[in-house]
Amino acid sequence: MVDSTATADLDVALEKHRTELTGYCYRMLGSSFEAEDAVQDTLVRAWRSYDKFEGRSSLRSWLYRIATNVCLDMLTAGNKRARPMDLTESTPLAQAALSPRPDHTWLEPMPDARVLPTVDDPAEAAVAKESVRLAFMAALQQLPPKQRAVLILREVLAWKASEVAELLGTSVASVNSALQRARATLAERADASPEGAVSDPLDEEQQKLLERYVEAFEGYDMTALTALLHEDAIMTMPPFDLWLRGPADITGFMTTLGASCAGSRLLPVQVNGLPGFAHYKPDKEKGGFAPWAVQMLELSDGRITGFHCFLDTKRWFPLFGLPLHLEAEPDEVEKGV
C-alpha cells in the first residue's frame, strides 16, 4: 500500500493524466460516461497497486496499459456504438417517425475540455480534435478492440510500435500487422458524408457562418437556414434513429415535428472537436427556456454539412456544465416567453 506521506503526491501525479486518459478511453468506448468510469477505474487500480510499479516504464505508459485492459474488458460484449446513419437509410420527411433506441446504441457527445489536453503543437492539437469527431469515432467502432487500441496509440497518440507492443504484451510485427489491417478497414469505409475540415481556431468565414446560423435558428428563419445548409447536409437526433438528408427535409421537419423549437436560444459549446451549441427552447410552463439538445455542427466549404442534436439533456447538460434553465430577458418577458 502507498505510504501515507506520499498519498497526496501520488494523487496529483495520477490526476495529471486524467484528461488524456479520458480521451483515449472515449475513443475506445464511444461513450462519454463509460470513458469516465473507465478512467476512474484505471486510477483506482493504479493507486491500489502502485507499490508494484517498478518504474521499468514511465508512469504514463503504465497508466495506459491499465486503461487499455479496462477498456478491453468493457468491450468483450462486442457492443458497437453508432450514428443513426450507420444503422438505417435516411427517411423522407413524409415518412418521418421518432423511434428511440437504447442509450448504449449511440456514439455519445463529449466536451472538448474533458478529452483534449492542452498542447503547444498546433498540428498535434488538430490531430487530437479530428480523432474525436463522430465520423472517425464511428469508423473506430468497426475495428476489433485490440486493433482499435493499436490504431489510436500509433496514429493518434504517435506511440512507437515497440512501445505499443510492450503495452499490449505482443511483438512489433503483430502491432504493425494490426495497424495495417485497421488502416485497411478504415479505408474501405471512408465516410461519404461531406464532413469537411474545421479550422482551429475557426477562421473568419467559419465564424461568420456560425453567427449567421445562430441568427437563422433563433429567428427560426428557414429561408436563411436553407442558404447555410449543404445540399447533402444531414440531421440526426439520438436517441431517435431517424435521420434526414437535404435542406428541404431538414427545414420541413423543423417547421412540423420540430415546430416547438421556434423562439429557441443557443449557447456556444465545444464538442467533439467541433463547434456546437446548447439548445434551449421556450418553457411554456415555467417561462424562460428549458434545455432541449446539445447540437454539434460539421462545416465544409462555407456550408453546414452535419447538424447533430443529442436530446438526452438530463445527461448531457450537466456533463457540459450547462444550466438546466435560462431566464428570459426583460424584452422576452414582455412578449410572454
Side-chain angles (χ1 to χ4, degrees), residues 213-222 225 235 254 257-268 277-284 288-295 307 309 311 313 317 326-329 332 335 337:
Y213 168 76
V214 171
E215 183 177 357
F217 193 95
E218 291 189 343
Y220 232 57
D221 183 339
M222 295 301 115
L225 187 59
M235 178 181 182
M254 292 174 67
L257 293 176
S260 63
C261 291
S264 290
R265 290 293 173 267
L266 301 178
L267 298 182
F277 296 94
H279 173 193
Y280 293 81
K281 72 176 185 177
D283 189 332
K284 302 300 183 183
F289 301 90
W292 183 246
V294 170
Q295 299 182 359
F307 175 49
C309 305
L311 303 182
T313 53
F317 275 51
L326 288 185
E327 297 297 334
E329 299 294 331
E332 293 169 334
K335 296 176 184 177
V337 174

Side-chain angles (χ1 to χ4, degrees), residues 92-133:
L93 179 60
Q95 300 171 18
L98 298 179
S99 303
R101 296 202 188 192
D103 290 339
H104 62 74
T105 306
W106 306 115
L107 284 169
E108 297 178 347
M110 181 65 107
D112 283 4
R114 288 181 180 259
V115 292
L116 299 176
T118 302
V119 295
D120 295 327
D121 184 351
E124 186 180 342
V127 169
K129 283 195 170 186
E130 289 171 6
S131 69
V132 294
R133 291 179 185 163

Side-chain angles (χ1 to χ4, degrees), residues 147-262:
Q147 281 187 32
R148 199 179 307 178
V150 167
L151 185 85
I152 296 167
L153 291 165
R154 292 282 285 119
E155 302 278 80
V156 178
L157 301 178
W159 284 39
K160 297 176 182 177
S162 57
E163 294 172 327
V164 178
E166 182 180 356
L167 182 148
L168 294 175
T170 187
S171 66
V172 170
S174 178
V175 166
N176 288 336
S177 176
L179 180 60
Q180 186 176 10
R181 293 196 302 273
R183 285 172 172 167
T185 299
L186 264 58
E188 287 174 3
R189 57 164 285 128
D191 205 309
S193 61
E195 184 187 44
V198 178
S199 301
D200 182 28
L202 296 176
D203 62 31
E204 184 178 359
E205 180 186 32
Q206 291 167 341
Q207 190 60 56
K208 287 182 177 178
L209 175 61
L210 293 181
E211 291 170 0
R212 291 167 62 198
Y213 168 76
V214 171
E215 183 177 357
F217 193 95
E218 291 189 343
Y220 232 57
D221 183 339
M222 295 301 115
T223 300
L225 187 59
T226 296
L228 305 180
L229 295 173
H230 189 280
E231 62 181 8
D232 289 325
I234 59 175
M235 178 181 182
T236 68
M237 292 163 285
F240 301 116
D241 58 13
L242 169 74
W243 66 281
L244 303 166
R245 184 187 293 275
D249 278 359
I250 291 172
T251 57
F253 177 89
M254 292 174 67
T255 54
T256 53
L257 293 176
S260 63
C261 291

Side-chain angles (χ1 to χ4, degrees), residues 13 40 42-43 56 76 87 108 124 142 159 233 237 247 259 285-286 316 322:
Q40 193 59 34
T42 296
L43 297 181
R56 287 180 293 183
T76 53
L87 302 179
E108 297 178 347
E124 186 180 342
Q142 303 306 308
W159 284 39
M237 292 163 285
E285 296 182 2
K286 299 179 182 178
W316 305 133
L322 294 163

